[in-house]
Amino acid sequence: MQSSMQVVEESDPMVIDSVEPSAPQSTMTAHAYPPSSEPDVGFVYDTEMTLHCSPDGHPEAPERILRIWKALVSGHYISRAKVIPTRQVLEHEALLVHSQKLWDKVEAIQYMTQPQFLDSEEHYEQLSLYICAATTLTARLSCGGVIEACLAVARGELSKTFAVVRPPGHHAEPEEHMGFCFFNNVAVAARVVQNLTPLKKILILDWDVHHGNGTQRAFNSDPSVLFISLHRHDGGDFYPYGPFGDLDSCGEGLGLGYSVNIPWPENGMGDADYIHAFQKVIMPIATEFDPELVIILAGFDAAEGDDLGECLVTPVGYAHMTYMLAGLAGGRLAVALEGGYNLDSITKSALAVTEIIMGGAPPEMGPMVASEAGARTVWLVARQQSQYWKSLNARACEPEGLPCAAASYSSYKTVVPTEANSPPLPTQEILKLHRQHYMYSEHGMMEVPLVSAELEQRFSGQVICSPDVFQCETLVFVVHEFGNLRVEMSASVMRDAQLERANLIEFSKDLVTWVKAEGYSLLDVNLFPKPNGSILRPKTKSIRALRQEVITYVWDNYVMLSSGRNIVLVGHGPACQQLMDLIDMRETSVVESVRSVIQVVGHWPPCLPSRPENLKWYRCHSFPALGCDHSIRRKVQEVEWHGHVLDVDEDRSVALFAKALPDIKRFVKAQLSCLK
C-alpha cells in the first residue's frame, strides 16, 4: 500500500495540500482562554460509569474515561466549561430506538446472582460483551449522559458538548446489544432531541474504526437523520462483519441515500485518507444536507497506536475533522465518546477534539497524499452516493485524476430577507444581498459555512465559492468590501445606490466569466461585516481580528484543502490589508502556492507585508492597480517594492476594478506561464 503521508510534486485528486492553522503541529496545547462566567461548552462525566468492569483486563476498561477526564482537568479545560449533570436513560427514551425485550434484558442484569453471571459468560462473549452487577447502572448513565449533552446544544444552552462516557453505544441494535455496547447512546439521544426540541435534521458522523451498525439500523429508513461512517470493513471481514456497512449500504425506503459508508478495505489508513474522504465526500454531502445539529460518534480506535484498529489517524487529524464539522449547523455540535483502547492514543485524541470545541484552531498539517486503497474507496463511495447527492462528482475523485469542473458543494441559502416584519436593512446590506443573490442564481456559487457563531453572525452568506473549488489547479481568491459605500463615497460624495448595484453586478459578471473561461475556480470573500445587532451586545473582538479569522479559516480549510497549486490573491480597497496579514500569518504556504498578488486600491493606500523577509517575494508577484491621482506615484521607494504598478484613469473602486481587469488577466496569465 502506498504511504498515506507522502509529499507529492504533481497535481492529483487524492492530494491534500498543507493546512497551516495557528498552533504548531508537534503539540496540542491548551490556549490561555479568558475565564467566562457563562461557558459555551459543556462536558458530561460521572465516576459511576467506571463501575462496569471485567476482572480479566478487558480493553473496554474504566481507565479509558478516567485518563481522559484527568487530562481534561489537568489541562484546565473543565474549569473553563460547564459540567453537565448526568442521569440514567429513562425507559420511554430507550424505547424510541430499542425494543422492550432489549430494555428488559439490560434491566435484568442488575438482579443476576453470581452463578447466573458465570452461566451467562459464554453467551455474552459471543456478543462481544461482558457484564457485572454495575452494568445496568453504567449503561443507563452512559446513554442518559449523551442525551443531556445533546439536549444542552439543541436547546441553545451550550454551543458544543463532549460526553466522556462508557460503555460505548454504536453497535447496539434496536433488538440486540453487542460489541461492548448495551444501549445506542447517540441514536437514543437523537430521537429525544427530535421529540423535545424544534431540531429535526441531524447529522451523525461516526469515525470509530468499526462500522456503527446499530446506529445505521436505527435510522436506515429515516431521511431526517444523515448517518455517515468511516470504518474498516476489509470486505466484510472486520467487526461487526458481513456486507452491512459496505459502500452500497445506503439506507432503504425514504431513507435511501441518507446512510453513507466509507468502508476502508485494509488497515493502515491515516490522516491523508480521512481528510481526503472529508474533502471529497463528507463535507459536500453534509453541506447539501444542511443539518440543524451535528453529533460525532468519537471512537478513537482508528488512532495511531490502537492495536484493535491498526490505523494511523493522529490527534491532528481528529482536530481537523472536528474543525470542519464545527462549521456546520450553526456551530451546534455534540461529541460522544465511543471506542478507543490505547490509553495514550485515546487521551491525546480526545484532547485534540476538546481543543477545537473550546475554540482553538487545529495545528498545521504538511502536504499529504491519500493511499491508493483510500483514494479508490473514496472514488467508489462518491460514484455510489452521487445517485443521491448532486454535490458529488465521482469523476473528480478518480485516482487516476481527470480534469473536471463539477460541484463539490451544491446547496446554498437564499439570503434575501422575506419576512414582512424584518427590520429595514441598511443600503450597504441591500447591495451585498443583491450581489450575493446574483452570484448564487446566475453563476451557481455556493455558500461556505463558517466555524463559529460570531463569524456566522457577522459574515454569513459573504463567503462563497464556485462549485469546482476543490478541483481546479488554479484558484482565484478574491477579498473585498463590496457594498461598503464609504469606499466609494470617499471618491465621490454623491453616489446612486442603483448605480452601485449595477457596477457590482457588471463587475461580478466579468470576474466570473474570466475565471470560468480560463478553467480556474473562485473563492469570493466579502470582509465588510454585517451590523453587530443591539447596541448592548458586547464587542468581543475587533473587526480586524474577525477579518483575519475569516480569511485564515478560508485559507486553511478551503484553499489549502483544494487541488489548487497556483493561487491568485486579489484584494479590493481596504480588504487588501487582510491579504498582507494573510501573507505574514501563513508565510510558508503562501510563498509556495501564490503566483500573483493583485491589489485594486483606488484612493486607498496599497499595503505591504509587515515582515521584511516577505518583501522581495512580494515585489516579484505584486500588481497594484492605482487610481489616476494616487499619491503613491510620488513615493519612488515604495513603488519599487510594489512591483508592476498600473495607473487607471478612474477613482471609484468598483469601476476601477472593472477597468483594470484586462491588465490583471494578462499579468496573471504571464505569471502562470512562467511555471510551464
Side-chain angles (χ1 to χ4, degrees):
M1 184 184 68
Q2 184 178 346
S3 169
S4 62
M5 294 292 288
Q6 175 184 347
V7 179
V8 297
E9 299 297 333
E10 59 185 12
S11 177
D12 191 285
M14 61 182 102
V15 171
I16 300 95
D17 288 326
S18 60
V19 186
E20 191 182 75
S22 55
Q25 182 174 351
S26 58
T27 58
M28 290 293 295
T29 56
H31 288 261
Y33 302 111
S36 172
S37 57
E38 296 183 2
D40 198 33
V41 177
F43 292 90
V44 166
Y45 178 79
D46 193 312
T47 55
E48 286 192 301
M49 284 185 281
T50 65
L51 298 177
H52 172 67
C53 59
S54 168
D56 301 325
H58 195 279
E60 205 293 282
E63 288 76 18
R64 297 173 62 243
I65 61 172
L66 283 168
R67 283 279 295 272
I68 292 173
W69 189 254
K70 182 178 178 181
L72 291 173
V73 172
S74 62
H76 304 291
Y77 295 102
I78 302 304
S79 62
R80 294 183 280 109
K82 178 180 179 180
V83 177
I84 303 169
T86 191
R87 62 172 174 83
Q88 297 183 48
V89 63
L90 302 176
E91 180 178 359
H92 75 272
E93 293 172 326
L95 294 182
L96 294 171
V97 170
H98 295 293
S99 66
Q100 184 70 55
K101 182 179 179 181
L102 177 63
W103 171 265
D104 291 342
K105 282 196 292 187
V106 177
E107 279 291 287
I109 294 172
Q110 63 189 313
Y111 303 114
M112 290 173 63
T113 64
Q114 191 60 32
Q116 288 174 319
F117 281 121
L118 293 174
D119 291 342
S120 63
E121 187 173 337
E122 183 177 351
H123 168 73
Y124 281 102
E125 282 182 356
Q126 292 176 351
L127 294 171
S128 297
L129 294 170
Y130 70 84
I131 59 172
C132 67
T135 296
T136 302
L137 172 63
T138 56
R140 290 186 61 177
L141 284 172
S142 183
C143 189
V146 175
I147 291 172
E148 290 301 306
C150 292
L151 283 175
V153 175
R155 288 169 171 162
E157 298 164 4
L158 299 167
S159 70
K160 295 173 179 62
T161 55
F162 191 167
V164 184
V165 298
R166 64 175 290 272
H170 73 150
H171 291 311
E173 298 196 342
E175 302 289 339
E176 188 61 278
H177 45 10
M178 58 185 292
F180 308 170
C181 306
F182 294 89
F183 295 121
N184 200 305
N185 303 332
V186 163
V188 173
R191 285 299 189 214
V192 172
V193 165
Q194 289 179 322
N195 279 6
L196 297 184
T197 78
L199 305 190
K200 307 303 177 188
K201 293 179 69 179
I202 299 175
L203 165 62
I204 298 176
L205 188 287
D206 187 346
W207 66 44
D208 190 284
V209 79
H210 303 95
H211 175 235
N213 56 296
T215 310
Q216 181 174 342
R217 289 200 192 279
F219 304 108
N220 212 32
S221 59
D222 186 351
S224 71
V225 175
L226 172 62
F227 174 74
I228 303 178
S229 177
L230 309 95
H231 53 270
R232 274 187 68 183
H233 190 252
D234 293 22
D237 199 29
F238 194 76
Y239 193 86
Y241 306 111
F244 195 55
D246 207 348
L247 59 88
D248 58 357
S249 293
C250 302
E252 58 189 18
L254 295 176
L256 187 61
Y258 290 89
S259 290
V260 180
N261 285 295
I262 302 169
W264 303 130
E266 58 192 30
N267 62 359
M269 313 309 285
D271 289 348
D273 302 297
Y274 279 74
I275 297 299
H276 183 59
F278 263 73
Q279 172 185 323
K280 297 296 186 181
V281 173
I282 293 171
M283 293 308 293
I285 291 177
T287 304
E288 185 175 343
F289 179 68
D290 193 20
E292 297 169 307
L293 172 67
V294 176
I295 308 174
I296 300 175
L297 285 162
F300 296 114
D301 39 7
E304 190 172 26
D306 192 293
D307 292 337
L308 268 69
E310 298 179 313
C311 287
L312 302 170
V313 181
T314 70
V316 177
Y318 286 119
H320 277 271
M321 290 189 283
T322 306
Y323 196 68
M324 285 186 269
L325 293 169
L328 300 167
R332 290 184 290 272
L333 175 66
V335 181
L337 183 66
E338 285 288 336
Y341 308 101
N342 178 300
L343 297 182
D344 288 336
S345 299
I346 193 175
T347 303
K348 292 175 183 177
S349 300
L351 289 181
V353 169
T354 299
E355 182 67 22
I356 301 305
I357 69 171
M358 295 291 288
E364 178 182 354
M365 298 178 79
M368 301 178 295
V369 60
S371 66
E372 292 178 7
R376 178 172 175 78
T377 300
V378 170
W379 169 54
L380 292 172
V381 172
R383 193 170 66 174
Q384 178 75 28
Q385 291 291 335
S386 61
Q387 305 174 67
Y388 315 112
W389 301 98
K390 59 185 178 179
S391 55
L392 291 185
N393 177 19
R395 187 164 176 251
C397 301
E398 282 196 71
E400 301 301 325
L402 296 175
C404 74
S408 286
Y409 288 87
S410 70
S411 61
Y412 61 84
K413 299 173 184 175
T414 302
V415 294
V416 180
T418 57
E419 294 184 26
N421 60 353
S422 296
L425 290 171
T427 301
Q428 61 264 31
E429 291 304 305
I430 295 173
L431 288 173
K432 287 194 292 185
L433 291 175
H434 275 302
R435 179 177 184 267
Q436 288 162 216
H437 182 68
Y438 169 78
M439 295 290 272
Y440 291 148
S441 59
E442 296 298 321
H443 299 292
M445 298 289 281
M446 313 302 174
E447 180 176 350
V448 171
L450 299 174
V451 72
S452 72
E454 187 169 18
L455 292 184
E456 190 70 25
Q457 176 205 343
R458 304 305 299 276
F459 298 101
S460 64
Q462 295 183 200
V463 184
I464 57 179
C465 63
S466 58
D468 53 3
V469 67
F470 285 127
Q471 278 85 40
C472 297
E473 186 173 346
T474 299
L475 187 153
V476 179
F477 185 15
V478 182
V479 296
H480 56 83
E481 291 192 17
F482 292 159
N484 185 352
L485 293 180
R486 181 173 61 91
V487 173
E488 294 297 321
M489 290 182 177
S490 297
S492 179
V493 176
M494 299 301 293
R495 299 295 294 153
D496 185 334
Q498 287 297 327
L499 179 60
E500 283 306 309
R501 175 181 175 274
N503 286 339
L504 285 173
I505 298 303
E506 189 62 29
F507 169 72
S508 301
K509 177 182 176 181
D510 292 344
L511 174 67
V512 176
T513 300
W514 166 51
V515 167
K516 286 184 176 180
E518 295 293 340
Y520 306 155
S521 57
L522 177 64
L523 260 171
D524 184 286
V525 181
N526 190 330
L527 291 173
F528 185 48
K530 293 178 169 63
N532 198 24
S534 168
I535 195 170
L536 300 176
R537 190 188 303 266
K539 189 175 182 179
T540 57
K541 295 180 182 176
S542 69
I543 294 299
R544 181 169 180 179
L546 287 172
R547 287 169 172 159
Q548 288 176 344
E549 189 173 345
V550 169
I551 200 169
T552 53
Y553 170 73
V554 173
W555 178 266
D556 294 339
N557 292 279
Y558 287 83
V559 178
M560 288 290 96
L561 288 180
S562 75
S563 300
R565 302 179 65 81
N566 304 313
I567 311 301
V568 178
L569 298 181
V570 181
H572 169 262
C576 293
Q577 179 59 57
Q578 272 64 55
L579 285 188
M580 300 303 110
D581 291 343
L582 178 67
I583 291 171
D584 289 328
M585 290 186 293
R586 298 292 186 264
E587 177 182 357
T588 301
S589 56
V590 165
V591 170
E592 288 177 353
S593 60
V594 171
R595 313 305 175 202
S596 306
V597 183
I598 313 297
Q599 293 192 63
V600 182
V601 293
H603 57 274
W604 290 83
C607 307
L608 290 170
S610 63
R611 301 181 64 176
E613 57 267 34
N614 292 330
L615 288 173
K616 185 177 180 181
W617 172 87
Y618 168 76
R619 179 183 178 185
C620 296
H621 296 80
S622 72
F623 187 89
L626 311 178
C628 52
D629 295 323
H630 208 290
S631 60
I632 191 175
R633 272 297 176 196
R634 296 188 292 271
K635 301 179 181 179
V636 178
Q637 185 177 3
E638 288 187 16
V639 170
E640 289 178 353
W641 282 120
H642 281 291
H644 311 79
V645 179
L646 174 69
D647 288 318
V648 182
D649 186 19
E650 179 61 67
D651 63 352
R652 296 169 302 162
S653 293
V654 173
L656 189 155
F657 211 150
K659 285 189 176 183
L661 190 56
D663 293 279
I664 291 172
K665 294 179 190 178
R666 284 190 287 271
F667 177 74
V668 170
K669 200 156 194 173
Q671 291 290 99
L672 294 177
S673 66
C674 293
L675 302 172
K676 298 178 180 179

